[in-house]
Amino acid sequence: MQADWAVELHGVHRRYGRGRTAVHALRGIDLTLAPRSFTAVMGPSGSGKSTFLQCAAGLDRPTSGTVRLAGTEITGMKENKLTALRRTRLGFVFQAFNLLPSLTVEQNVALPTRLAGHRPDRRRTADVLAQVGLTDKARRRPGHLSGGQQQRVAIARALVTRPDVVFADEPTGALDTTTAAEILGLLRRAVDEQGATVVMVTHDPTAAAWADRVLFLADGELVDHLDHPTPDRIAACMTTLTARRAHVPAAA
Ligand code: ADP
């Protein structure tokens, strides 16, 4: 049975430290993201984007509140169970690609399956490599590929287990504009054609415009959203947010 929501956060707070020096990185996040949706998360530097992604993906634990992924509550889950869930039911794409240099492209793609203790399915590996246009690079090592090609490998690796959610952290941050558009096109197709669910943190309005919806964070709170976003409307929202923030007294 498919869960109603791919991602659910209820009253999620994340505080770093205690007392007067405590930093409230997330101040009560409530959201639900539908399966087969592509969501971008934006906000000024320090607004809580990374903390949000880490908490939503089970890489960090909220101070309070609950996180559910495809109907499974991960809050309070034991670390080994959470690790297994991340390997089998989540996919990750990072700015720095994070491929293992000593493994070939196809071995990198098969790695999540191996780490989960299963024998890699060669056909599935070949399918996802074809999906990202890298069939002819299967036996290469990442060091022989361009940045854009390495990120394609990372997307194939993220999709290989047919995860409930793919979390992407600035996936185009290290790429030129043309290559970035190719990578975002692949994520978009994964949602539209393969039924993937993607949550992407980015600071780039052009990248965020590939999403169905953009969520805006400011000072640890969700303060706005845009459906059917365009780069111009996103940039305007960001300008408003940054200006609003500049007017908040430092001691508030
Ligand atoms: P963003 O990704 O939007 O730049 P972050 O989630 O990295 O924001 O940070 C949100 C707030 O939490 C910032 O004030 C940041 O300094 C603080 N923060 C993040 N990680 C830590 C940490 N490990 N220890 C203390 N403060 C942190």
Side-chain angles (χ1 to χ4, degrees):
M1 188 190 77
Q2 193 173 31
D4 290 343
W5 302 110
V7 180
E8 289 172 76
L9 271 67
H10 297 290
V12 169
H13 286 254
R14 177 64 166 105
R15 185 190 66 225
Y16 294 108
R18 294 185 160 272
R20 285 169 55 85
T21 56
V23 175
H24 295 271
L26 298 178
R27 300 167 184 263
I29 304 290
D30 291 293
L31 62 76
T32 47
L33 305 180
R36 299 169 171 256
S37 63
F38 187 171
T39 306
V41 180
M42 299 194 80
S45 176
S47 58
K49 300 183 295 296
S50 305
T51 307
F52 162 79
L53 201 79
Q54 302 258 326
C55 286
L59 294 162
D60 187 14
R61 292 180 189 270
T63 311
S64 60
T66 57
V67 177
R68 279 172 169 263
L69 297 173
T72 304
E73 179 159 349
I74 63 165
T75 335
M77 204 179 244
K78 288 214 166 57
E79 197 53 45
N80 56 353
K81 225 177 144 194
L82 195 52
T83 302
L85 181 141
R86 280 198 305 265
R87 284 177 180 159
T88 52
R89 293 178 48 187
L90 304 182
F92 291 93
V93 181
F94 300 100
Q95 177 170 349
F97 319 137
N98 294 16
L99 302 174
L100 290 185
S102 59
L103 301 184
T104 64
V105 163
E106 63 187 356
Q107 286 169 339
N108 267 283
V109 172
L111 194 62
T113 314
R114 277 194 193 286
L115 287 173
H118 303 299
R119 182 191 286 266
D121 175 342
R122 291 190 73 101
R123 190 186 296 173
R124 177 66 188 155
T125 305
D127 281 352
V128 284
L129 276 177
Q131 204 179 317
V132 301
L134 284 183
T135 302
D136 58 334
K137 303 281 190 265
R139 302 283 163 84
R140 293 288 186 95
R141 284 180 213 284
H144 294 273
L145 305 182
S146 68
Q149 288 170 333
Q150 291 189 49
Q151 198 61 306
R152 285 168 181 262
V153 179
I155 290 175
R157 181 184 58 184
L159 295 173
V160 73
T161 57
R162 294 189 180 85
D164 292 321
V165 191
V166 174
F167 290 99
D169 193 358
E170 298 279 6
T172 56
L175 304 174
D176 64 74
T177 318
T178 309
T179 313
E182 287 167 15
I183 292 299
L184 291 157
L186 287 175
L187 291 174
R188 183 72 256 177
R189 269 177 42 206
V191 173
D192 294 342
E193 294 170 18
Q194 313 288 322
T197 305
V198 175
V199 181
M200 170 178 78
V201 162
T202 180
H203 68 273
D204 176 4
T206 310
W210 287 79
D212 302 308
R213 168 176 276 202
V214 184
L215 304 177
F216 294 92
L217 274 171
D219 296 320
E221 289 180 291
L222 280 176
V223 290
D224 210 346
H225 73 268
L226 271 180
D227 288 326
H228 313 296
T230 63
D232 287 349
R233 289 172 64 211
I234 297 167
C237 272
M238 282 299 291
T239 306
T240 310
L241 271 188
T242 314
R244 189 192 305 175
R245 204 158 165 254
H247 288 102
V248 176

